Amino acid sequence: MYRFLLKPRWIASHVFVLAVLVTFVSLGFWQLNRLDERRDENATITARFDEPPVPATDVPLDETDEDLEFRIVEATGTYDRSGEVLIRNRSRGGAPGYWVLTPLILEDGTALAVNRGWIPLGFDPDQPRPDVDPPTGTVTAVGFLRTSVEPGRLAQADPAEGALSSLARPDLARLDQQIDADVRMLYLQIESQSPVQTGELPFVLERPELNEGPHLSYAGQWLIFTLIGLIGYPLAVRRIARSRARAESGEQDISDPLDWELAELNRSVQDRGGPA
């Protein structure tokens, strides 16, 4: 009854279904691996947030080392207002705006870019912003480190030349081109500073939300798709085989559309001189 499954077109169907099921299983395990990576990353970030602040001058900030990201540091220096840039296309609570990235000149003469927070879209990057000027004089800023974001192949690129008042991303290598001090290759996401910022703006950004993402639910979906294939395909083959057997014996049930269609196909082939 199942000999028809050895025909070339059915063998091709088996191979195709098997390839699809293997793909579903692979995607499910990939999502589980992504979940493990997210959990490990969250655990690392949580541990670094629990550590006491260390002086920025004690941390090797001259390289974009991911092992340093999210470490709590304390940086003392003076803000270079002339080197400040805005980071475009940043939202807060659904509202569009900018991040304010201001170089902090440290005691050793290097510049640590400080993300002082968010301001709304109404500000013009090319105009003075006295309402959001940083504190003057010596400032001690506390926050966590973030890595520089370089432009990708498909991402919007900033002009390679000239002094820019805004950037598409916190690209510290691009910022280094337009200020006198050497810019360190990690920036500080500020959480507090002394003296404090006068005025309401910029809004200090919150710490990143540490969730597990949708990876577990996606893995479950791929598992469900796999089970549907494992159960559904054999059932469909069994039904087709039984329908073919009834059609060949003349016992087809025309109340079943599939049986009727297979019987008609069988009669058509027989009329041309051969069995279906």
Side-chain angles (χ1 to χ4, degrees):
M1 184 170 68
Y2 291 97
R3 287 179 298 176
F4 71 95
L5 295 177
L6 298 177
K7 292 183 178 181
R9 64 188 180 91
W10 277 101
I11 293 176
S13 174
H14 306 331
V15 172
F16 173 76
V17 171
L18 179 61
V20 170
L21 293 178
V22 169
T23 301
F24 288 169
V25 172
S26 299
L27 290 172
F29 279 110
W30 176 66
Q31 288 293 342
L32 291 176
N33 290 334
R34 291 289 306 276
L35 177 61
D36 288 340
E37 292 173 358
R38 176 65 71 88
R39 287 172 173 172
D40 291 342
E41 181 182 353
N42 289 347
T44 299
I45 294 174
T46 300
R48 291 177 181 176
F49 280 158
D50 290 339
E51 295 175 354
V54 298
T57 51
D58 292 350
V59 180
L61 302 180
D62 298 329
E63 300 178 359
T64 55
D65 189 345
E66 292 184 357
D67 291 337
L68 299 175
E69 190 169 26
F70 297 108
R71 291 193 180 277
I72 304 295
V73 301
E74 180 180 271
T76 299
T78 56
Y79 281 115
D80 178 11
R81 176 66 180 80
S82 64
E84 182 175 281
V85 294
L86 300 185
I87 309 302
R88 304 187 297 272
N89 300 322
R90 307 294 150 170
S91 62
R92 179 180 182 273
Y98 305 95
W99 287 350
V100 183
L101 199 66
T102 311
L104 181 69
I105 308 302
L106 304 179
E107 297 170 350
D108 60 3
T110 61
L112 175 64
V114 177
N115 185 350
R116 297 196 294 116
W118 179 90
I119 60 175
L121 193 61
F123 287 88
D124 186 343
D126 295 317
Q127 297 297 324
R129 296 178 294 275
D131 293 340
V132 296
D133 278 345
T136 58
T138 301
V139 176
T140 298
V142 178
F144 54 92
L145 297 175
R146 299 301 309 269
T147 57
S148 175
V149 181
E150 307 298 331
R153 288 182 299 177
L154 301 179
Q156 178 187 1
D158 291 308
E161 303 293 336
L164 305 178
S165 59
S166 68
L167 299 173
R169 59 195 59 79
D171 185 351
L172 301 179
R174 183 63 183 86
L175 179 65
D176 186 50
Q177 296 180 22
Q178 59 187 51
I179 68 174
D180 294 333
D182 292 333
V183 176
R184 298 191 173 203
M185 289 297 105
L186 292 102
Y187 70 92
L188 183 70
Q189 180 70 61
I190 198 171
E191 294 192 296
S192 64
Q193 63 183 348
S194 177
V196 298
Q197 175 76 38
T198 59
E200 186 177 355
L201 296 174
F203 291 109
V204 175
L205 302 180
E206 298 178 354
R207 289 184 173 183
E209 182 179 357
L210 301 180
N211 57 52
E212 295 185 350
H215 303 299
L216 184 59
S217 62
Y218 286 166
Q221 291 176 11
W222 290 121
L223 174 61
I224 292 173
F225 295 156
T226 303
L227 292 176
I228 290 174
L230 287 174
I231 297 173
Y233 186 69
L235 289 177
V237 168
R238 180 172 179 270
R239 183 179 182 187
I240 292 173
R242 295 179 62 182
S243 298
R244 290 174 64 95
R246 288 197 299 269
E248 292 174 356
S249 63
E251 298 177 359
Q252 68 275 9
D253 180 7
I254 62 174
S255 63
D256 189 327
L258 179 59
D259 288 347
W260 182 86
E261 181 179 352
L262 289 173
E264 287 296 313
L265 177 61
N266 186 57
R267 281 195 294 270
S268 174
V269 173
Q270 288 177 341
D271 290 341
R272 292 199 293 268

